[in-house]
Amino acid sequence: MPELVLETNGRTWTLDPSRSYTLGRDPQGDVVFDDARVSWRHATVSFNGRSWVIEDHGSTNGTFVQGQRIHQLELGPGTALHLGNATDGPQVSLSGTAAVAQPQQPYAAQGAGPGWAGQQAPPQQTPQQPPAQQGWQQPQQGAPHIPQQQGLGGAAGAPPVYGDRSPTTFHQFSLGRVMRIGRALENDLVVSDLQVSRNHAEFHATPDGRFEIRDLGSHNGTYVNGQPIAKGGSQLLGPTDIVGVGHSTFRIVGDRLEEFVDTGEVSFSARHLTVTVDGGKQILKDVSFGVPEKSLIAVIGPSGSGKSTLLKALTGYRPANQGEVLYDNRDLYKQFAELRQRIGLVPQDDILHKELTVKKALKYAAKLRFPADTTGAEREARIDEVLRELKLDIHKDKKVTSLSGGQRKRVSVALELLTKPSLIFLDEPTSGLDPGMDRDVMQLLRGLADDGRTVLVVTHSVAELALCDKLLVMAPGGAVAYFGPPEEALNFFGYDSWADVFSAFENYRDYDWAGRWKGSQHYQMYAADIDAVAPQAVQMPPMQAIRPPKPQGWGSQLWTLIRRYVSVIASDKGFMALSVALPAVLGAVSLLIDPDKGLLPNGANAQGRIVPNGTATTVLLILAVGACFAGAANSVRELIKERVIYERERATGLSRSAYLMSKVIVLGAITMIQGALIGAIGFVTRELPEEGLVLGGAVLVELSLPIMMLGFASMMFGLVISALVKTAEKTMPLLVMFAVAQLPFTGCLLILNGAIGVNQLSYLFPSRWAVAAAGATLDFNKIFPDQDDPSNTDPLWEHTVGAWGLNMAALLALAVICGIFVARFLRRHEPEVMRK
């Protein structure tokens, strides 16, 4: 069998044909590369019985030979490979001369860590078990699972400092040279990260020997010490300043630029988190814990223990009043604008549109989250990679609604993994799942942690806690009752089951569970180092300064949102059928009222008084109420059913106004078409005036326009209801109430002009203005005069162009006012740290 010698980073190894070798960032692989452009398990080199072969495992940035991307290739002496980039990616050279003996020590490319997986790793030390304390049982023997690298919150050593991590790569500055950073290959410093724009930023050397960073109009922003600089702006850099670009950070040391790539292996800690609500009540009390990188942490506790509040505090959705959250020793609250790109959050409800297929849902999410200059091929490649990682590729063409509960949760996780977050938070991911799916989801999370991420899951399920590295138990009132290995928790509490522990929490709500925890040896082992830091109040920078840039421009977001919304509606066959049937039925109801009778005055009686045409007012009343109901019904559920999706996408840079405008445009178009159908059915068979006020002979169109505008204004009222309510069940009673309330204020049942108070109140109802606009065209002051006082004519019914225009303008004004209210109500469902 031919020998093959692999050389990289100046060192060589003779490969054994009897086994295969894995190349990638995985520390457990055979040849490890600490370069963000290299995938976790990038490629494999093996002997197939005839020749040596390299096989790329669908890596994100590819494997290249002579500038060409390859997937599988026979190798021979003289072959040179580049991983992650065709020009400056880590190089692997192959030859047939085994001149150098195989090293006995593990190898890590570019200072990465362990190399040959076949070598024996040093045994991990089992932490000393705490002695039994009064009222407690002795913890069970056996070593708890300990992550390979001890970080924050562990018993070994002090927390690492972010700036003290070894740089991933170094870049040398030349005097007076400009160093451009971006995703495109023509940049001086290529960052293969889809969060980075093609031409993102530049480092400039100033005449006085200092350096500045200039943003080149990037989509996701350039950050200095966690704060975004102005788009297209610049900022001078000091010796301690850190520049953030996507998942990479840079620090200037002398004439050298040090690059740190966030590959996911980050530590995370919370220190003295306290949340106080109105009235001074504390719902989270002095919560501190720390976890090392590549860990899975479960948070459990009874209802009212502050789990949801803790999750919001840890993610920045609702910052704590006191304390700090540290992402690799960086303050999350103060640097939220930058670090939010590295945090994934999977809420309890699915954060995707169930009517779409899996791949289409991810496609629209990628379009919204990645920079505008990302190509379709780049987005497709990342989506396919995530689908393969989560074993969803066989389900990619299925509708989300057809998947099982566990599969839907995987899709929600896949959506978050698109941007390669280092921290992933999940809120009750196993809620409603059977035990088998519960286990599958927890095993998925275990795998995510093992692949180089920190995962924190809030859960009620205790069946699979053994898969976790650490367990955080919250006591009633929002205090920590335990933090440490899950296998020691029951012994710590002195009970045989978690049901007994939760019963104790309920039966002894006033007991000082936090004090019991802090007096234990478990506390000294697993939390004392973190808790020793003095608590401090959160000093937030100006709110405008931490508003993150948007990855897409406003127009691009609007177009993507419109296309996604149209796809969702088109996929919902029931909604499409109802959208056609509802206006047809409502319009047809009006035909039951004297179908052959026109909408003109009946003339004068013997006393010279105009005889009212009751048919005209009745028909218009039915059409107006029908248009109100149809318009509001279209929109009354649209915001409440997408609330969780909006909250998450807003945190990732979604424009509130673009989101609202997409709803207005799509629903407005549907509602206007419905209004035209209602008006056409109601008016087309009846005798109408020969001439209109505005459109001349097109009287049918002129009468239908107020019905269409009424539907549009009612649709906006429906959005107000949808943004205001807390649950979808409350929308239907409010919809019926809204439609019924239009009846007395149309002016068709009673004379409103001159009715002090009632007439002024009617101005708030869109049906008043729509009926008045149609009434102006039909000359309602003649068709429906005040029999008690013929001189009492309604100015809104005047048969003039001015009256018609005023009524239509009022309908538009009501719609705009509703839009303003909707935007204000939507603001309440955004991360607090982002609000103006």
Side-chain angles (χ1 to χ4, degrees):
M1 291 182 290
E3 293 180 336
L4 189 70
V5 177
L6 181 149
E7 179 180 358
T8 182
N9 201 31
R11 304 176 73 178
T12 57
W13 289 263
T14 301
L15 304 188
D16 181 1
S18 65
R19 56 163 297 191
S20 62
Y21 297 86
T22 300
L23 285 64
R25 289 197 343 265
D26 185 359
Q28 300 302 316
D30 299 302
V31 182
V32 185
F33 297 86
D34 194 2
D35 191 308
R37 296 170 294 181
V38 178
S39 294
W40 191 254
R41 294 180 178 87
H42 194 101
T44 298
V45 175
S46 61
F47 186 74
N48 62 8
R50 182 174 58 88
S51 62
W52 287 93
V53 175
I54 184 168
E55 180 180 359
D56 186 282
H57 294 308
S59 62
T60 303
N61 298 312
T63 304
F64 299 86
V65 175
Q66 296 181 348
Q68 300 297 316
R69 184 165 184 168
I70 59 97
H71 297 283
Q72 191 174 43
L73 182 72
E74 291 189 359
L75 301 175
T79 305
L81 307 169
H82 283 279
L83 307 184
N85 189 282
T87 55
D88 65 345
Q91 181 172 335
V92 179
S93 300
L94 300 160
S95 65
T97 303
V100 181
Q102 193 166 338
Q104 299 302 311
Q105 298 299 324
Y107 162 68
Q110 301 184 24
W116 302 103
Q119 299 199 3
Q120 183 67 33
Q124 295 179 344
Q125 297 297 320
T126 301
Q128 181 181 359
Q129 298 290 348
Q133 301 189 28
Q134 185 175 3
W136 302 351
Q137 299 178 16
Q138 177 71 20
Q140 296 176 355
Q141 298 301 314
H145 175 79
I146 297 184
Q148 291 179 332
Q149 300 185 28
Q150 191 70 26
L152 290 174
V161 179
Y162 176 80
D164 290 344
R165 285 188 181 271
S166 298
T168 307
T169 52
F170 302 92
H171 309 276
Q172 197 70 30
F173 275 115
S174 299
L175 186 62
R177 182 186 171 196
V178 174
M179 183 177 288
R180 175 172 290 187
I181 304 172
R183 206 174 69 248
L185 295 178
E186 63 266 17
N187 289 283
D188 303 297
L189 201 164
V190 179
V191 180
S192 299
D193 180 356
L194 291 183
Q195 295 284 353
V196 177
S197 298
R198 297 187 63 82
N199 296 291
H200 196 104
E202 290 178 342
F203 283 100
H204 284 255
T206 61
D208 60 359
R210 302 173 66 186
F211 291 91
E212 70 175 2
I213 182 70
R214 295 180 183 175
D215 183 84
L216 299 178
S218 63
H219 299 279
N220 278 324
T222 304
Y223 302 83
V224 176
N225 300 325
Q227 301 302 313
I229 64 176
K231 193 169 186 177
S234 63
Q235 183 170 329
L236 283 171
L237 301 175
T240 61
D241 288 337
I242 294 178
V243 176
V245 173
H247 285 79
S248 297
T249 51
F250 302 90
R251 181 174 62 181
I252 297 175
V253 179
D255 61 350
R256 188 174 69 175
L257 183 67
E258 297 181 346
E259 180 181 4
F260 303 81
V261 180
D262 185 346
T263 58
E265 298 178 356
V266 298
S267 57
F268 182 74
S269 65
R271 293 178 176 174
H272 302 286
L273 297 183
T274 299
V275 174
T276 306
V277 295
D278 295 338
K281 180 182 178 181
Q282 289 186 344
I283 56 177
L284 205 63
K285 298 179 181 179
D286 196 28
V287 174
S288 297
F289 66 95
V291 294
E293 53 201 50
K294 297 175 63 176
S295 296
L296 173 60
I297 306 94
V299 180
I300 65 172
S303 299
S305 59
K307 299 188 300 297
S308 296
T309 302
L310 175 63
L311 189 65
K312 292 178 180 179
L314 295 177
T315 56
Y317 270 58
R318 200 293 186 190
N321 303 100
Q322 190 178 50
E324 58 186 354
V325 177
L326 299 182
Y327 176 105
D328 232 15
N329 268 21
R330 301 178 67 184
D331 192 309
L332 175 65
Y333 295 160
K334 294 181 180 179
Q335 303 186 28
F336 178 80
E338 177 185 355
L339 297 180
R340 54 110 190 178
Q341 302 178 35
R342 309 184 193 182
I343 296 176
L345 174 62
V346 180
Q348 182 173 347
D349 297 324
D350 294 327
I351 50 176
L352 32 83
H353 294 85
K354 299 179 181 179
E355 299 86 357
L356 301 178
T357 64
V358 170
K359 188 161 187 178
K360 185 171 285 189
L362 295 180
K363 171 186 172 184
Y364 286 119
K367 180 70 174 174
L368 289 172
R369 297 191 183 195
F370 288 143
D373 60 6
T374 307
T375 65
E378 289 175 315
R379 290 193 299 269
E380 287 281 332
R382 180 57 188 156
I383 291 171
D384 290 340
E385 182 183 14
V386 170
L387 290 174
R388 286 193 301 269
E389 180 180 358
L390 298 183
K391 297 179 176 59
L392 287 169
D393 45 341
I394 60 175
H395 304 294
K396 63 182 181 180
D397 295 322
K398 296 179 181 178
K399 285 190 176 183
V400 175
T401 188
S402 68
L403 302 178
S404 67
Q407 290 169 341
R408 285 202 302 271
K409 194 57 63 178
R410 282 178 178 264
V411 178
S412 293
V413 173
L415 190 151
E416 290 301 307
L417 289 184
L418 288 174
T419 54
K420 298 185 178 180
S422 302
L423 282 174
I424 302 178
F425 296 88
L426 300 99
D427 187 10
E428 300 286 357
T430 61
S431 177
L433 302 183
D434 61 46
M437 290 183 179
D438 182 353
R439 180 183 56 197
D440 290 344
V441 171
M442 291 301 292
Q443 288 177 339
L444 165 67
L445 303 184
R446 177 72 262 170
L448 293 177
D450 292 338
D451 283 345
R453 305 174 182 94
T454 299
V455 183
L456 186 145
V457 53
V458 174
T459 179
H460 277 109
S461 175
V462 296
E464 304 296 334
L465 294 180
L467 292 171
C468 302
D469 299 302
K470 291 290 190 297
L471 175 64
L472 177 66
V473 181
M474 301 294 293
V480 176
Y482 173 82
F483 177 73
E487 58 267 30
E488 298 179 17
L490 285 177
N491 286 308
F492 171 82
F493 288 107
Y495 291 99
D496 296 327
S497 69
W498 283 108
D500 294 332
V501 175
F502 279 41
S503 295
F505 283 149
E506 181 63 29
N507 296 332
Y508 304 100
R509 298 187 69 88
D510 295 331
Y511 182 75
D512 186 9
W513 295 101
R516 182 177 186 270
W517 156 242
K518 291 187 176 182
S520 70
Q521 291 193 17
H522 282 75
Y523 171 80
Q524 297 298 325
M525 293 176 64
Y526 302 116
D529 290 343
I530 295 297
D531 222 16
V533 181
Q536 62 180 23
V538 178
Q539 299 295 326
M540 297 296 292
M543 296 302 276
Q544 183 64 29
I546 65 171
R547 292 181 64 79
K550 298 176 176 61
Q552 300 276 334
W554 189 90
S556 178
Q557 283 197 12
L558 176 63
W559 177 236
T560 300
L561 290 167
I562 288 175
R563 286 191 297 149
R564 182 177 71 176
Y565 195 26
V566 170
S567 296
V568 169
I569 291 176
S571 300
D572 190 345
K573 306 303 182 185
F575 180 85
M576 293 289 290
L578 185 62
S579 297
V580 175
L582 182 62
V585 171
L586 293 174
V589 168
S590 68
L591 298 180
L592 301 177
I593 310 300
D594 295 331
D596 299 326
K597 195 167 185 180
L599 303 181
L600 302 173
N602 284 348
N605 59 15
Q607 288 75 34
R609 301 178 65 179
I610 297 294
V611 177
N613 185 348
T615 299
T617 54
T618 304
V619 167
L620 208 53
L621 174 67
I622 293 173
L623 297 180
V625 174
C628 282
F629 184 83
N634 286 339
S635 61
V636 75
R637 287 179 176 265
E638 292 307 295
L639 298 183
I640 182 65
K641 75 178 184 182
E642 291 186 1
R643 182 161 297 171
V644 176
I645 299 175
Y646 172 76
E647 289 176 354
R648 182 66 194 122
E649 291 184 341
R650 179 66 175 145
T652 62
L654 179 70
S655 167
R656 182 197 313 158
S657 59
Y659 175 78
L660 175 57
M661 189 56 65
S662 70
K663 298 294 183 186
V664 172
I665 291 174
V666 176
L667 290 176
I670 293 174
T671 303
M672 295 284 275
I673 293 173
Q674 289 177 330
L677 184 58
I678 291 174
I681 294 175
F683 293 129
V684 71
T685 62
R686 302 183 186 276
E687 183 183 0
L688 303 175
E690 295 182 359
E691 291 287 332
L693 284 171
V694 180
L695 301 180
V699 181
L700 178 61
V701 177
E702 185 174 320
L703 287 174
S704 297
L705 282 175
I707 303 300
M708 296 164 64
M709 277 300 301
L710 173 59
F712 182 82
S714 299
M715 181 271 296
M716 296 301 295
F717 270 93
L719 288 179
V720 172
I721 295 173
S722 192
L724 189 60
V725 298
K726 294 183 178 180
T727 62
E729 289 75 17
K730 295 180 180 179
T731 58
M732 295 312 295
L734 293 175
L735 169 63
V736 175
M737 186 185 305
F738 170 77
V740 172
Q742 306 300 317
L743 288 170
F745 297 105
T746 58
C748 296
L749 297 179
L750 62 149
I751 301 298
L752 295 176
N753 187 52
I756 305 300
V758 176
N759 188 37
Q760 287 71 27
L761 181 62
S762 70
Y763 296 159
L764 300 176
F765 291 80
S767 60
R768 169 70 158 122
W769 301 100
V771 170
T777 297
L778 295 173
D779 199 358
F780 253 29
N781 280 324
K782 290 184 178 180
I783 290 180
F784 189 54
D786 186 347
Q787 295 297 298
D788 298 326
D789 183 7
S791 63
N792 181 26
T793 58
D794 193 330
L796 300 183
W797 291 357
E798 290 293 331
H799 189 58
T800 63
V801 173
W804 189 90
L806 173 65
N807 294 323
M808 295 295 287
L811 280 171
L812 181 60
L814 284 176
V816 171
I817 293 172
C818 286
I820 294 173
F821 275 108
V822 174
R824 298 297 295 175
F825 292 147
L826 281 176
R827 178 181 173 274
R828 301 183 308 167
H829 307 295
E830 299 171 2
E832 186 171 320
V833 74
M834 293 178 60
R835 300 178 192 171
K836 290 183 180 179

